[in-house]
Amino acid sequence: MDHAADAHRTDLMTITRHVLNEQSKHPESKGDFTILLSHIVLGCKFVCSAVNKVLLFLFPSTIASPIAISTSIPPCLFSQAGLAKLIGLAGETNGEEQKKLDVLSNQVFVKALISSGRTCVLVSEEDEEATFVDPSLRGKYCVVFDPLDGSSNIDCGVSIGTIFGIYMVKDKDNVSLDDVLQPGKHMVAAGYCMYGSPCTLVLSTGNGVNGFTLDPSLGEFILTHPDIKIPKRGKLYSVNEGNAKNWDTPTAKFVEKCKFPKDGSSPKSLRYIGSMVADVHRTLLYGGIFLYPADKQSPNGKLRVLYEVFPMSFLMEQAGGQAFTGEQRALDLVPTKIHQRSPVFLGSYDDVEEIKALYAAEEKKA
C-alpha cells in the first residue's frame, strides 16, 4: 500500500456517499433508507464522543482527544463529576446491570431513530417493551438494536459497540410486534459500530459487507474496508472457556479439536475479549469461529436473538461465512419474544461446517 499517496487522497468514499450510490441502483427508491441510516450514523458519532470522553477520564495519558461533532453532548459530561456518574450503575436492570452510559446511548438512538421519520417500531436491549412510534412520525422501517454492547468492559478500555438490524414493514399504519418477530433472513440491513481505536462502522445492506472508519478531523465515516470477505477457514476460535464444564458434547468436542487436532494440522489460537462486537469484528477480518453455546446454566443460550444473533449472523453470511444455532441456520430462527435468547456459532464457512457436523452426529445418536 502506498501510504504517502493514501494520505493525500481526495476522492473519499463516505458512508453517506456509499449508500447514495447503492440507492441510485434502485430508481424506485425514495431515499427513506438513506435518511434512516444517516440518523443511525449520527447516533454512532454521538455515542463515540461520549465513550471517548469517559475513556479520556479513565485513561488520560493514552486516549486521544474525543472527536467534535455538531450534536452537543450534555454539559455534565465535561466535568469529572459528570464522567464519574456516567460510569456508575444506573440503578435499573434489563436482566443485566445497566451502566449509565447504556442509558445515555439508548436515549440517543431512540430519539435519533424517531426523529428520522422513517421508523415505526423500535426494539432496544435496554427497554423491556418495544417502542411504537407516534403515527404522525411513522415510516416503513423497524429497527432492533443494542445501543452499547459490552459496556461493562469500558472500565478496562476494551472496545465496545452498537449493534443494529433493520426490517421493513408492509403497512406502517397497522404495525404490531409481528413486524419485528421475523426471521433474520428478512432483515434488509444490519451492522455494528465499534467504539475503540479507531471507531469502525461495519454495514451490510444485503449486497456484501463494507467497513468504514471515523476520521476525527472530518467527522465522517470513510470507506476503509470495502467488500469484506471472511476467510473460508480461520486459525482462531473465540469462546468463554470458563463455561467449559457446562457445555454439551458437540461444543466440547469442537473446542478439544481446536486445541488438539488429530489430522496433523496446527492448533487454533484462542482469542476472547468478552465484548461481542470486538470478538465478532476480529473473526470477520481474520477468520475463525465465534462460539456462544447453550450450556447447563443457560440452556437457551445467552445472546439476544433480534439485536445480537441476527445482525451478526446477517453480516457473516454476507461476508461468505455461516451462522448456526446448534439446531438450524441462525437466520431461519423465528423469534417469539423480543428479548429471546439463543446459542450461536458464527464465522468462517468451513469452521462452522465442522460444528454443524458434530451436532448432526450427536443427533443421530439420540
Side-chain angles (χ1 to χ4, degrees):
M1 180 182 291
D2 188 342
H3 293 285
D6 192 57
H8 295 287
R9 282 188 304 136
T10 55
D11 185 24
L12 299 177
M13 178 64 74
T14 66
I15 190 168
T16 303
R17 180 180 165 194
H18 173 78
V19 174
L20 285 171
N21 284 352
E22 291 296 309
Q23 178 186 318
S24 67
K25 299 175 184 177
H26 304 277
E28 74 283 1
S29 175
K30 297 179 181 179
D32 288 339
F33 179 78
T34 304
I35 293 171
L36 172 60
L37 187 64
S38 71
H39 281 72
I40 292 175
V41 168
L42 177 61
C44 291
K45 290 178 183 178
F46 192 116
V47 174
C48 178
S49 182
V51 168
N52 279 344
K53 285 176 170 62
V54 171
L55 292 175
L56 186 64
F57 172 70
L58 293 170
F59 311 103
S61 62
T62 59
I63 304 298
S65 298
I67 65 164
I69 61 174
S70 58
T71 303
S72 61
I73 300 291
C76 66
L77 299 196
F78 290 97
S79 67
Q80 285 200 343
L83 287 166
K85 288 178 182 177
L86 260 186
I87 60 175
L89 296 177
E92 300 177 8
T93 182
N94 56 3
E96 302 165 2
E97 289 183 313
Q98 277 188 322
K99 288 279 189 174
K100 288 192 176 181
L101 198 55
D102 278 2
V103 177
L104 172 70
S105 302
N106 188 51
Q107 292 172 348
V108 165
F109 277 102
V110 168
K111 290 178 180 178
L113 291 167
I114 292 176
S115 67
S116 73
R118 301 301 186 275
T119 58
C120 54
V121 186
L122 309 178
V123 173
S124 167
E125 186 189 31
E126 308 303 335
D127 294 327
E128 186 175 344
E129 303 292 336
T131 299
F132 288 88
V133 178
D134 185 273
S136 63
L137 295 172
R138 280 184 186 171
K140 61 183 179 181
Y141 294 104
C142 300
V143 182
V144 294
F145 61 100
D146 184 346
L148 203 61
D149 181 76
S151 60
S152 60
N153 291 310
I154 195 169
D155 293 0
C156 58
V158 168
S159 294
I160 56 181
T162 297
I163 309 171
F164 61 90
I166 302 173
Y167 290 102
M168 186 184 293
V169 300
K170 294 179 180 178
D171 183 3
K172 69 177 183 180
D173 297 318
N174 186 26
V175 294
S176 68
L177 276 184
D178 289 338
D179 290 301
V180 177
L181 297 175
Q182 301 185 56
K185 63 185 177 183
H186 292 164
M187 281 184 169
V188 296
Y192 61 81
C193 187
M194 185 173 66
Y195 310 115
S197 180
C199 176
T200 304
L201 195 154
V202 175
L203 174 71
S204 174
T205 57
N207 187 29
V209 181
N210 292 281
F212 304 82
T213 302
L214 184 61
D215 185 327
S217 64
L218 298 176
E220 291 281 0
F221 280 100
I222 306 299
L223 180 63
T224 52
H225 296 75
D227 194 22
I228 297 171
K229 296 295 182 186
I230 186 171
K232 195 171 182 184
R233 182 180 294 276
K235 299 178 180 179
L236 307 176
Y237 73 103
S238 182
V239 66
N240 182 359
E241 290 209 55
N243 295 327
K245 70 175 184 179
N246 296 315
W247 287 343
D248 59 19
T249 301
T251 302
K253 284 184 176 179
F254 179 81
V255 173
E256 184 73 7
K257 185 178 179 182
C258 287
K259 295 190 287 187
F260 306 103
K262 297 178 180 179
D263 59 1
S265 61
S266 299
K268 293 184 185 293
S269 297
L270 171 65
R271 297 287 185 271
Y272 186 71
I273 297 170
S275 171
M276 188 186 190
V277 171
D279 281 316
V280 171
H281 185 67
R282 180 195 56 249
T283 303
L284 185 64
L285 295 184
Y286 299 156
I289 186 168
F290 170 85
L291 310 88
Y292 213 119
D295 57 38
K296 294 175 184 176
Q297 292 184 331
S298 303
N300 297 318
K302 196 169 181 182
L303 296 179
R304 313 295 181 119
V305 172
L306 280 178
Y307 39 78
E308 290 177 324
V309 173
F310 279 172
M312 294 308 200
S313 299
F314 187 92
L315 290 168
M316 279 296 170
E317 287 201 2
Q318 286 293 317
Q322 289 195 78
F324 177 62
T325 66
E327 296 181 355
Q328 62 185 126
R329 175 193 178 204
L331 293 180
D332 287 339
L333 180 63
V334 182
T336 57
K337 298 181 292 185
I338 62 173
H339 298 299
Q340 184 172 325
R341 300 175 188 263
S342 172
V344 71
F345 308 86
L346 52 83
S348 295
Y349 192 95
D350 287 353
D351 290 322
V352 177
E353 276 295 301
E354 284 191 25
I355 195 132
K356 285 168 68 176
L358 289 169
Y359 271 97
E362 188 70 15
E363 189 176 351
K364 286 181 180 179
K365 292 180 183 178

